[in-house]
Amino acid sequence: VQLQASGGGLVQPGGSLRLSCTVSGFTMAYLAMGWFRQAPGKEREGVSCMTSTDGTTYYKDFVKGRFTISRDNANNTMYLQMNNLKPEDTAVYYCTAGPSCNGAEFWGQGTLVTVSS
């Protein structure tokens, strides 16, 4: 399973970005898909996850109401729509995949999101 994340960049506070994650080597429909992030000098943390079975979504409190995870199984692609971005959202964002949202087995290479004026 290979994951390719894209869509990061520089955005002003209050702005929006959409991250994408393309899966190859496996049918994404059978995988739980998620996003982690790691800010400079901080530990990596989970952001959001979506199950493969019924599409249940999970969000950490610090992104609830601002970020939306979605998936397009037909195109083996997952998305993270990020709205109302804050400077503290600055981090490298990693897409992940696994059998459930309880653990990530496969990781993408990361895409950098910088929120700054």
Side-chain angles (χ1 to χ4, degrees), residues 70-103:
S70 62
R71 58 195 296 161
D72 179 354
N73 288 336
N75 290 301
N76 262 19
T77 303
M78 171 185 64
Y79 303 98
L80 185 68
Q81 178 67 43
M82 306 185 295
N83 298 328
N84 190 22
L85 283 160
K86 305 175 181 181
E88 51 264 42
D89 294 319
T90 295
V92 176
Y93 284 72
Y94 299 89
C95 60
T96 66
S100 74
C101 283
N102 291 326

PDB file of all heavy atoms in Angstrom, residues 70-103:
ATOM      1  N   SER A  70     -13.196  13.234   4.044  1.00  0.00           N
ATOM      2  CA  SER A  70     -14.091  12.568   3.107  1.00  0.00           C
ATOM      3  C   SER A  70     -13.271  11.614   2.244  1.00  0.00           C
ATOM      4  O   SER A  70     -12.041  11.671   2.244  1.00  0.00           O
ATOM      5  CB  SER A  70     -14.835  13.590   2.239  1.00  0.00           C
ATOM      6  OG  SER A  70     -13.922  14.337   1.451  1.00  0.00           O
ATOM      7  N   ARG A  71     -13.972  10.755   1.528  1.00  0.00           N
ATOM      8  CA  ARG A  71     -13.265   9.775   0.700  1.00  0.00           C
ATOM      9  C   ARG A  71     -14.036   9.523  -0.578  1.00  0.00           C
ATOM     10  O   ARG A  71     -15.270   9.564  -0.592  1.00  0.00           O
ATOM     11  CB  ARG A  71     -13.041   8.477   1.466  1.00  0.00           C
ATOM     12  CG  ARG A  71     -14.308   7.805   1.976  1.00  0.00           C
ATOM     13  CD  ARG A  71     -13.968   6.737   3.023  1.00  0.00           C
ATOM     14  NE  ARG A  71     -13.187   5.654   2.460  1.00  0.00           N
ATOM     15  CZ  ARG A  71     -12.454   4.811   3.197  1.00  0.00           C
ATOM     16  NH1 ARG A  71     -12.394   4.959   4.510  1.00  0.00           N
ATOM     17  NH2 ARG A  71     -11.771   3.843   2.611  1.00  0.00           N
ATOM     18  N   ASP A  72     -13.297   9.253  -1.634  1.00  0.00           N
ATOM     19  CA  ASP A  72     -13.848   8.889  -2.937  1.00  0.00           C
ATOM     20  C   ASP A  72     -13.276   7.525  -3.269  1.00  0.00           C
ATOM     21  O   ASP A  72     -12.191   7.415  -3.862  1.00  0.00           O
ATOM     22  CB  ASP A  72     -13.463   9.934  -3.979  1.00  0.00           C
ATOM     23  CG  ASP A  72     -13.986   9.618  -5.368  1.00  0.00           C
ATOM     24  OD1 ASP A  72     -14.561   8.538  -5.561  1.00  0.00           O
ATOM     25  OD2 ASP A  72     -13.810  10.459  -6.268  1.00  0.00           O
ATOM     26  N   ASN A  73     -13.996   6.494  -2.875  1.00  0.00           N
ATOM     27  CA  ASN A  73     -13.467   5.143  -3.054  1.00  0.00           C
ATOM     28  C   ASN A  73     -13.275   4.784  -4.533  1.00  0.00           C
ATOM     29  O   ASN A  73     -12.367   4.023  -4.880  1.00  0.00           O
ATOM     30  CB  ASN A  73     -14.393   4.125  -2.389  1.00  0.00           C
ATOM     31  CG  ASN A  73     -14.322   4.183  -0.876  1.00  0.00           C
ATOM     32  OD1 ASN A  73     -13.332   4.629  -0.294  1.00  0.00           O
ATOM     33  ND2 ASN A  73     -15.385   3.754  -0.223  1.00  0.00           N
ATOM     34  N   ALA A  74     -14.103   5.329  -5.388  1.00  0.00           N
ATOM     35  CA  ALA A  74     -13.995   5.010  -6.822  1.00  0.00           C
ATOM     36  C   ALA A  74     -12.658   5.471  -7.388  1.00  0.00           C
ATOM     37  O   ALA A  74     -12.128   4.860  -8.331  1.00  0.00           O
ATOM     38  CB  ALA A  74     -15.144   5.642  -7.580  1.00  0.00           C
ATOM     39  N   ASN A  75     -12.117   6.548  -6.812  1.00  0.00           N
ATOM     40  CA  ASN A  75     -10.847   7.085  -7.287  1.00  0.00           C
ATOM     41  C   ASN A  75      -9.705   6.863  -6.299  1.00  0.00           C
ATOM     42  O   ASN A  75      -8.628   7.441  -6.460  1.00  0.00           O
ATOM     43  CB  ASN A  75     -10.990   8.579  -7.587  1.00  0.00           C
ATOM     44  CG  ASN A  75     -11.854   8.831  -8.800  1.00  0.00           C
ATOM     45  OD1 ASN A  75     -11.548   8.364  -9.895  1.00  0.00           O
ATOM     46  ND2 ASN A  75     -12.948   9.564  -8.625  1.00  0.00           N
ATOM     47  N   ASN A  76      -9.957   6.046  -5.284  1.00  0.00           N
ATOM     48  CA  ASN A  76      -8.911   5.723  -4.298  1.00  0.00           C
ATOM     49  C   ASN A  76      -8.269   6.980  -3.706  1.00  0.00           C
ATOM     50  O   ASN A  76      -7.042   7.038  -3.522  1.00  0.00           O
ATOM     51  CB  ASN A  76      -7.829   4.837  -4.920  1.00  0.00           C
ATOM     52  CG  ASN A  76      -8.041   3.375  -4.608  1.00  0.00           C
ATOM     53  OD1 ASN A  76      -9.123   2.946  -4.248  1.00  0.00           O
ATOM     54  ND2 ASN A  76      -6.978   2.589  -4.764  1.00  0.00           N
ATOM     55  N   THR A  77      -9.104   7.961  -3.411  1.00  0.00           N
ATOM     56  CA  THR A  77      -8.586   9.225  -2.901  1.00  0.00           C
ATOM     57  C   THR A  77      -9.360   9.674  -1.668  1.00  0.00           C
ATOM     58  O   THR A  77     -10.586   9.547  -1.616  1.00  0.00           O
ATOM     59  CB  THR A  77      -8.659  10.326  -3.972  1.00  0.00           C
ATOM     60  OG1 THR A  77      -7.927   9.899  -5.129  1.00  0.00           O
ATOM     61  CG2 THR A  77      -8.050  11.627  -3.468  1.00  0.00           C
ATOM     62  N   MET A  78      -8.621  10.198  -0.710  1.00  0.00           N
ATOM     63  CA  MET A  78      -9.197  10.732   0.514  1.00  0.00           C
ATOM     64  C   MET A  78      -8.873  12.221   0.575  1.00  0.00           C
ATOM     65  O   MET A  78      -7.848  12.649   0.023  1.00  0.00           O
ATOM     66  CB  MET A  78      -8.609  10.030   1.736  1.00  0.00           C
ATOM     67  CG  MET A  78      -8.992  10.673   3.059  1.00  0.00           C
ATOM     68  SD  MET A  78      -8.181   9.930   4.476  1.00  0.00           S
ATOM     69  CE  MET A  78      -6.472  10.288   4.170  1.00  0.00           C
ATOM     70  N   TYR A  79      -9.727  12.962   1.272  1.00  0.00           N
ATOM     71  CA  TYR A  79      -9.534  14.406   1.365  1.00  0.00           C
ATOM     72  C   TYR A  79      -9.635  14.880   2.814  1.00  0.00           C
ATOM     73  O   TYR A  79     -10.282  14.247   3.644  1.00  0.00           O
ATOM     74  CB  TYR A  79     -10.596  15.143   0.544  1.00  0.00           C
ATOM     75  CG  TYR A  79     -10.631  14.736  -0.906  1.00  0.00           C
ATOM     76  CD1 TYR A  79     -11.564  13.808  -1.364  1.00  0.00           C
ATOM     77  CD2 TYR A  79      -9.729  15.269  -1.819  1.00  0.00           C
ATOM     78  CE1 TYR A  79     -11.599  13.428  -2.688  1.00  0.00           C
ATOM     79  CE2 TYR A  79      -9.757  14.901  -3.147  1.00  0.00           C
ATOM     80  CZ  TYR A  79     -10.699  13.968  -3.577  1.00  0.00           C
ATOM     81  OH  TYR A  79     -10.720  13.589  -4.899  1.00  0.00           O
ATOM     82  N   LEU A  80      -9.011  16.021   3.053  1.00  0.00           N
ATOM     83  CA  LEU A  80      -9.205  16.727   4.315  1.00  0.00           C
ATOM     84  C   LEU A  80      -9.435  18.196   3.963  1.00  0.00           C
ATOM     85  O   LEU A  80      -8.503  18.887   3.560  1.00  0.00           O
ATOM     86  CB  LEU A  80      -8.009  16.583   5.244  1.00  0.00           C
ATOM     87  CG  LEU A  80      -8.205  17.195   6.632  1.00  0.00           C
ATOM     88  CD1 LEU A  80      -9.257  16.421   7.429  1.00  0.00           C
ATOM     89  CD2 LEU A  80      -6.883  17.244   7.405  1.00  0.00           C
ATOM     90  N   GLN A  81     -10.676  18.627   4.095  1.00  0.00           N
ATOM     91  CA  GLN A  81     -10.998  20.030   3.874  1.00  0.00           C
ATOM     92  C   GLN A  81     -10.764  20.778   5.172  1.00  0.00           C
ATOM     93  O   GLN A  81     -11.352  20.436   6.201  1.00  0.00           O
ATOM     94  CB  GLN A  81     -12.461  20.182   3.434  1.00  0.00           C
ATOM     95  CG  GLN A  81     -12.905  21.615   3.237  1.00  0.00           C
ATOM     96  CD  GLN A  81     -12.213  22.300   2.077  1.00  0.00           C
ATOM     97  OE1 GLN A  81     -12.048  21.712   1.010  1.00  0.00           O
ATOM     98  NE2 GLN A  81     -11.793  23.543   2.272  1.00  0.00           N
ATOM     99  N   MET A  82      -9.896  21.781   5.113  1.00  0.00           N
ATOM    100  CA  MET A  82      -9.526  22.533   6.304  1.00  0.00           C
ATOM    101  C   MET A  82      -9.970  23.980   6.134  1.00  0.00           C
ATOM    102  O   MET A  82      -9.475  24.667   5.227  1.00  0.00           O
ATOM    103  CB  MET A  82      -8.018  22.453   6.525  1.00  0.00           C
ATOM    104  CG  MET A  82      -7.485  21.027   6.580  1.00  0.00           C
ATOM    105  SD  MET A  82      -5.740  20.935   6.995  1.00  0.00           S
ATOM    106  CE  MET A  82      -5.020  21.752   5.576  1.00  0.00           C
ATOM    107  N   ASN A  83     -10.882  24.407   6.975  1.00  0.00           N
ATOM    108  CA  ASN A  83     -11.392  25.771   6.938  1.00  0.00           C
ATOM    109  C   ASN A  83     -11.020  26.517   8.212  1.00  0.00           C
ATOM    110  O   ASN A  83     -10.687  25.908   9.221  1.00  0.00           O
ATOM    111  CB  ASN A  83     -12.910  25.764   6.771  1.00  0.00           C
ATOM    112  CG  ASN A  83     -13.362  25.127   5.482  1.00  0.00           C
ATOM    113  OD1 ASN A  83     -12.675  25.192   4.457  1.00  0.00           O
ATOM    114  ND2 ASN A  83     -14.531  24.501   5.507  1.00  0.00           N
ATOM    115  N   ASN A  84     -11.095  27.823   8.142  1.00  0.00           N
ATOM    116  CA  ASN A  84     -10.796  28.673   9.297  1.00  0.00           C
ATOM    117  C   ASN A  84      -9.468  28.263   9.936  1.00  0.00           C
ATOM    118  O   ASN A  84      -9.380  28.066  11.152  1.00  0.00           O
ATOM    119  CB  ASN A  84     -11.931  28.603  10.315  1.00  0.00           C
ATOM    120  CG  ASN A  84     -11.797  29.641  11.405  1.00  0.00           C
ATOM    121  OD1 ASN A  84     -11.127  30.662  11.232  1.00  0.00           O
ATOM    122  ND2 ASN A  84     -12.417  29.386  12.541  1.00  0.00           N
ATOM    123  N   LEU A  85      -8.460  28.167   9.124  1.00  0.00           N
ATOM    124  CA  LEU A  85      -7.158  27.714   9.609  1.00  0.00           C
ATOM    125  C   LEU A  85      -6.537  28.707  10.573  1.00  0.00           C
ATOM    126  O   LEU A  85      -6.712  29.938  10.434  1.00  0.00           O
ATOM    127  CB  LEU A  85      -6.219  27.451   8.433  1.00  0.00           C
ATOM    128  CG  LEU A  85      -6.498  26.139   7.699  1.00  0.00           C
ATOM    129  CD1 LEU A  85      -5.900  26.156   6.297  1.00  0.00           C
ATOM    130  CD2 LEU A  85      -5.960  24.967   8.495  1.00  0.00           C
ATOM    131  N   LYS A  86      -5.825  28.161  11.548  1.00  0.00           N
ATOM    132  CA  LYS A  86      -5.173  28.950  12.585  1.00  0.00           C
ATOM    133  C   LYS A  86      -3.667  28.712  12.529  1.00  0.00           C
ATOM    134  O   LYS A  86      -3.231  27.653  12.059  1.00  0.00           O
ATOM    135  CB  LYS A  86      -5.707  28.535  13.953  1.00  0.00           C
ATOM    136  CG  LYS A  86      -7.218  28.611  14.086  1.00  0.00           C
ATOM    137  CD  LYS A  86      -7.673  28.075  15.435  1.00  0.00           C
ATOM    138  CE  LYS A  86      -9.191  28.130  15.567  1.00  0.00           C
ATOM    139  NZ  LYS A  86      -9.640  27.623  16.885  1.00  0.00           N
ATOM    140  N   PRO A  87      -2.884  29.658  13.032  1.00  0.00           N
ATOM    141  CA  PRO A  87      -1.423  29.443  13.036  1.00  0.00           C
ATOM    142  C   PRO A  87      -1.025  28.136  13.715  1.00  0.00           C
ATOM    143  O   PRO A  87      -0.051  27.488  13.296  1.00  0.00           O
ATOM    144  CB  PRO A  87      -0.911  30.663  13.792  1.00  0.00           C
ATOM    145  CG  PRO A  87      -1.916  31.726  13.510  1.00  0.00           C
ATOM    146  CD  PRO A  87      -3.242  31.012  13.487  1.00  0.00           C
ATOM    147  N   GLU A  88      -1.772  27.731  14.730  1.00  0.00           N
ATOM    148  CA  GLU A  88      -1.437  26.485  15.430  1.00  0.00           C
ATOM    149  C   GLU A  88      -1.743  25.232  14.614  1.00  0.00           C
ATOM    150  O   GLU A  88      -1.410  24.125  15.036  1.00  0.00           O
ATOM    151  CB  GLU A  88      -2.148  26.407  16.786  1.00  0.00           C
ATOM    152  CG  GLU A  88      -3.646  26.651  16.732  1.00  0.00           C
ATOM    153  CD  GLU A  88      -4.019  28.093  17.039  1.00  0.00           C
ATOM    154  OE1 GLU A  88      -3.318  29.022  16.547  1.00  0.00           O
ATOM    155  OE2 GLU A  88      -5.021  28.292  17.767  1.00  0.00           O
ATOM    156  N   ASP A  89      -2.362  25.394  13.462  1.00  0.00           N
ATOM    157  CA  ASP A  89      -2.562  24.270  12.545  1.00  0.00           C
ATOM    158  C   ASP A  89      -1.327  24.013  11.680  1.00  0.00           C
ATOM    159  O   ASP A  89      -1.294  23.027  10.931  1.00  0.00           O
ATOM    160  CB  ASP A  89      -3.767  24.515  11.634  1.00  0.00           C
ATOM    161  CG  ASP A  89      -5.086  24.549  12.386  1.00  0.00           C
ATOM    162  OD1 ASP A  89      -5.273  23.715  13.289  1.00  0.00           O
ATOM    163  OD2 ASP A  89      -5.918  25.425  12.068  1.00  0.00           O
ATOM    164  N   THR A  90      -0.343  24.882  11.770  1.00  0.00           N
ATOM    165  CA  THR A  90       0.889  24.697  11.005  1.00  0.00           C
ATOM    166  C   THR A  90       1.559  23.387  11.401  1.00  0.00           C
ATOM    167  O   THR A  90       1.835  23.156  12.578  1.00  0.00           O
ATOM    168  CB  THR A  90       1.848  25.864  11.245  1.00  0.00           C
ATOM    169  OG1 THR A  90       1.266  27.068  10.723  1.00  0.00           O
ATOM    170  CG2 THR A  90       3.191  25.623  10.586  1.00  0.00           C
ATOM    171  N   ALA A  91       1.786  22.536  10.410  1.00  0.00           N
ATOM    172  CA  ALA A  91       2.349  21.210  10.676  1.00  0.00           C
ATOM    173  C   ALA A  91       2.560  20.482   9.358  1.00  0.00           C
ATOM    174  O   ALA A  91       2.054  20.911   8.308  1.00  0.00           O
ATOM    175  CB  ALA A  91       1.403  20.392  11.557  1.00  0.00           C
ATOM    176  N   VAL A  92       3.292  19.384   9.444  1.00  0.00           N
ATOM    177  CA  VAL A  92       3.319  18.438   8.341  1.00  0.00           C
ATOM    178  C   VAL A  92       2.160  17.464   8.552  1.00  0.00           C
ATOM    179  O   VAL A  92       2.025  16.887   9.637  1.00  0.00           O
ATOM    180  CB  VAL A  92       4.646  17.670   8.276  1.00  0.00           C
ATOM    181  CG1 VAL A  92       4.598  16.621   7.160  1.00  0.00           C
ATOM    182  CG2 VAL A  92       5.808  18.627   8.049  1.00  0.00           C
ATOM    183  N   TYR A  93       1.332  17.324   7.541  1.00  0.00           N
ATOM    184  CA  TYR A  93       0.157  16.468   7.627  1.00  0.00           C
ATOM    185  C   TYR A  93       0.434  15.162   6.883  1.00  0.00           C
ATOM    186  O   TYR A  93       0.877  15.177   5.735  1.00  0.00           O
ATOM    187  CB  TYR A  93      -1.058  17.161   7.042  1.00  0.00           C
ATOM    188  CG  TYR A  93      -1.622  18.223   7.962  1.00  0.00           C
ATOM    189  CD1 TYR A  93      -0.951  19.429   8.165  1.00  0.00           C
ATOM    190  CD2 TYR A  93      -2.813  18.021   8.642  1.00  0.00           C
ATOM    191  CE1 TYR A  93      -1.452  20.389   9.027  1.00  0.00           C
ATOM    192  CE2 TYR A  93      -3.328  18.989   9.504  1.00  0.00           C
ATOM    193  CZ  TYR A  93      -2.633  20.162   9.690  1.00  0.00           C
ATOM    194  OH  TYR A  93      -3.138  21.110  10.541  1.00  0.00           O
ATOM    195  N   TYR A  94       0.133  14.056   7.561  1.00  0.00           N
ATOM    196  CA  TYR A  94       0.368  12.730   7.011  1.00  0.00           C
ATOM    197  C   TYR A  94      -0.958  12.007   6.832  1.00  0.00           C
ATOM    198  O   TYR A  94      -1.795  11.997   7.755  1.00  0.00           O
ATOM    199  CB  TYR A  94       1.243  11.903   7.947  1.00  0.00           C
ATOM    200  CG  TYR A  94       2.611  12.480   8.204  1.00  0.00           C
ATOM    201  CD1 TYR A  94       2.836  13.371   9.252  1.00  0.00           C
ATOM    202  CD2 TYR A  94       3.695  12.127   7.400  1.00  0.00           C
ATOM    203  CE1 TYR A  94       4.085  13.900   9.498  1.00  0.00           C
ATOM    204  CE2 TYR A  94       4.955  12.657   7.631  1.00  0.00           C
ATOM    205  CZ  TYR A  94       5.137  13.534   8.681  1.00  0.00           C
ATOM    206  OH  TYR A  94       6.385  14.060   8.913  1.00  0.00           O
ATOM    207  N   CYS A  95      -1.142  11.383   5.696  1.00  0.00           N
ATOM    208  CA  CYS A  95      -2.308  10.523   5.541  1.00  0.00           C
ATOM    209  C   CYS A  95      -1.920   9.097   5.937  1.00  0.00           C
ATOM    210  O   CYS A  95      -0.770   8.688   5.763  1.00  0.00           O
ATOM    211  CB  CYS A  95      -2.881  10.574   4.137  1.00  0.00           C
ATOM    212  SG  CYS A  95      -1.791  10.066   2.806  1.00  0.00           S
ATOM    213  N   THR A  96      -2.884   8.395   6.480  1.00  0.00           N
ATOM    214  CA  THR A  96      -2.639   7.051   6.982  1.00  0.00           C
ATOM    215  C   THR A  96      -3.756   6.110   6.551  1.00  0.00           C
ATOM    216  O   THR A  96      -4.861   6.540   6.201  1.00  0.00           O
ATOM    217  CB  THR A  96      -2.548   7.042   8.512  1.00  0.00           C
ATOM    218  OG1 THR A  96      -3.826   7.382   9.062  1.00  0.00           O
ATOM    219  CG2 THR A  96      -1.502   8.016   9.021  1.00  0.00           C
ATOM    220  N   ALA A  97      -3.449   4.822   6.615  1.00  0.00           N
ATOM    221  CA  ALA A  97      -4.431   3.808   6.267  1.00  0.00           C
ATOM    222  C   ALA A  97      -4.216   2.585   7.145  1.00  0.00           C
ATOM    223  O   ALA A  97      -3.094   2.316   7.589  1.00  0.00           O
ATOM    224  CB  ALA A  97      -4.312   3.423   4.795  1.00  0.00           C
ATOM    225  N   GLY A  98      -5.294   1.872   7.401  1.00  0.00           N
ATOM    226  CA  GLY A  98      -5.194   0.674   8.215  1.00  0.00           C
ATOM    227  C   GLY A  98      -6.514  -0.060   8.273  1.00  0.00           C
ATOM    228  O   GLY A  98      -7.492   0.372   7.660  1.00  0.00           O
ATOM    229  N   PRO A  99      -6.573  -1.147   9.011  1.00  0.00           N
ATOM    230  CA  PRO A  99      -7.802  -1.934   9.088  1.00  0.00           C
ATOM    231  C   PRO A  99      -8.912  -1.250   9.894  1.00  0.00           C
ATOM    232  O   PRO A  99     -10.085  -1.574   9.725  1.00  0.00           O
ATOM    233  CB  PRO A  99      -7.355  -3.221   9.765  1.00  0.00           C
ATOM    234  CG  PRO A  99      -6.129  -2.849  10.515  1.00  0.00           C
ATOM    235  CD  PRO A  99      -5.451  -1.778   9.717  1.00  0.00           C
ATOM    236  N   SER A 100      -8.522  -0.306  10.775  1.00  0.00           N
ATOM    237  CA  SER A 100      -9.513   0.416  11.559  1.00  0.00           C
ATOM    238  C   SER A 100      -8.944   1.759  11.966  1.00  0.00           C
ATOM    239  O   SER A 100      -7.766   2.044  11.715  1.00  0.00           O
ATOM    240  CB  SER A 100      -9.903  -0.384  12.815  1.00  0.00           C
ATOM    241  OG  SER A 100      -8.858  -0.320  13.770  1.00  0.00           O
ATOM    242  N   CYS A 101      -9.778   2.571  12.618  1.00  0.00           N
ATOM    243  CA  CYS A 101      -9.304   3.874  13.095  1.00  0.00           C
ATOM    244  C   CYS A 101      -8.567   3.747  14.428  1.00  0.00           C
ATOM    245  O   CYS A 101      -8.185   4.766  15.010  1.00  0.00           O
ATOM    246  CB  CYS A 101     -10.480   4.841  13.233  1.00  0.00           C
ATOM    247  SG  CYS A 101     -11.055   5.521  11.652  1.00  0.00           S
ATOM    248  N   ASN A 102      -8.347   2.545  14.894  1.00  0.00           N
ATOM    249  CA  ASN A 102      -7.605   2.357  16.137  1.00  0.00           C
ATOM    250  C   ASN A 102      -6.106   2.278  15.928  1.00  0.00           C
ATOM    251  O   ASN A 102      -5.351   2.252  16.894  1.00  0.00           O
ATOM    252  CB  ASN A 102      -8.079   1.094  16.846  1.00  0.00           C
ATOM    253  CG  ASN A 102      -9.485   1.240  17.385  1.00  0.00           C
ATOM    254  OD1 ASN A 102      -9.884   2.323  17.803  1.00  0.00           O
ATOM    255  ND2 ASN A 102     -10.250   0.167  17.352  1.00  0.00           N
ATOM    256  N   GLY A 103      -5.665   2.197  14.697  1.00  0.00           N
ATOM    257  CA  GLY A 103      -4.228   2.131  14.448  1.00  0.00           C
ATOM    258  C   GLY A 103      -3.920   2.316  12.988  1.00  0.00           C
ATOM    259  O   GLY A 103      -4.627   1.781  12.130  1.00  0.00           O
TER     260      GLY A 103
END
